[in-house]
Amino acid sequence: DTAVSQTPKYLVTQMGNDKSIKCEQNLGHDTMYWYKQDSKKFLKIMFSYNNKELIINETVPNRFSPKSPDKAHLNLHINSLELGDSAVYFCASSRGPMQYNEQFFGPGTRLTVL
Amino acid sequence: GNSVTQMEGPVTLSEEAFLTINCTYTATGYPSLFWYVQYPGEGLQLLLKATKADDKGSNKGFEATYRKETTSFHLEKGSVQVSDSAVYFCALSEDAGNMLTFGGGTRLMVKP
């Protein structure tokens, strides 16, 4: 059974398009996250949700809009895609927002903007 | 702000060699510390963690000790295997959302 799943695994699209990435966790966790990994493997937090409410937004452009319809899902919608959005996007979840909670990561979505 | 610095790779070792990957951190408070591993084409997996000073995290032969006095969390393994080839990330987390701050990652290549 997959703990944290993401769809799609690969996404290739043109500049200016709008796209969504979906994330689901079946671990019963309360907190979910989106991270971006660039071409040099550097990882950076984008958003964090706890019980469907946004708790972290790390100066991400407004073109990125996360949505959490329930605790098990955190989707990422991106408007007006730019070349610099090309990256691997990872979803993660944890039992809660406290620092000692291990985060479980999904397999990643590789986004390529042409 | 918080930051994590780890040695740049790649680190290339022969099988059964001793491994050390250095990691130091800067934090405003008292963070929890983690090592994550990323195998090719996969997501990150937690390797080990430590939540307070002098704690030693260990898993699959890997160890790291939380050293508050030197703000370090170096990863060690006594005898590496080819299957350990991956990218290793040191990370910290503080309260206020549990957001992970990652180091730049260290690629380990183990040759038979």
Side-chain angles (χ1 to χ4, degrees), chain B residues 9-27:
Chain B
V11 173
T12 303
L13 296 173
S14 297
E15 209 165 21
E16 298 184 4
F18 185 84
L19 168 72
T20 300
I21 301 178
N22 290 337
C23 171
T24 56
Y25 67 90
T26 303

Side-chain angles (χ1 to χ4, degrees), chain A residues 33 37 97 99-100 102-103, chain B residues 30 38 46 49 95 98 100:
Chain A
Y33 314 81
Q37 185 175 46
Q99 67 182 55
Y100 49 78
E102 170 188 352
Q103 293 185 27
Chain B
Y30 205 160
Q38 186 177 29
L46 179 69
K49 72 176 186 180
D95 278 338
N98 192 24
L100 286 168

Side-chain angles (χ1 to χ4, degrees), chain A residues 37 40-41, chain B residues 6 21 35-40 44-45 84-89 104-108:
Chain A
Q37 185 175 46
K40 296 186 178 180
K41 297 287 189 182
Chain B
Q6 58 182 110
I21 301 178
W35 277 101
Y36 281 85
V37 58
Q38 186 177 29
Y39 297 102
L44 283 79
Q45 302 173 26
D84 293 327
S85 298
V87 180
Y88 292 81
F89 292 92
T106 302
R107 181 178 299 279
L108 171 66

Side-chain angles (χ1 to χ4, degrees), chain A residues 9 31 33 35 37 40-43 45 48 55-56 58 90 94 96-103 105-107, chain B residues 30-32 34 36 38 41-44 46 49 51 87 89 93-100 102-104 107:
Chain A
K9 189 168 175 62
T31 312
Y33 314 81
Y35 289 86
Q37 185 175 46
K40 296 186 178 180
K41 297 287 189 182
F42 185 72
L43 277 152
I45 183 78
S48 172
I55 55 174
I56 291 174
E58 280 293 296
F90 287 101
S94 66
M98 300 303 287
Q99 67 182 55
Y100 49 78
N101 285 303
E102 170 188 352
Q103 293 185 27
F105 283 77
Chain B
Y30 205 160
S32 294
F34 304 85
Y36 281 85
Q38 186 177 29
E42 298 184 11
L44 283 79
L46 179 69
K49 72 176 186 180
T51 57
V87 180
F89 292 92
S93 175
E94 285 192 295
D95 278 338
N98 192 24
M99 65 177 234
L100 286 168
F102 285 93
R107 181 178 299 279

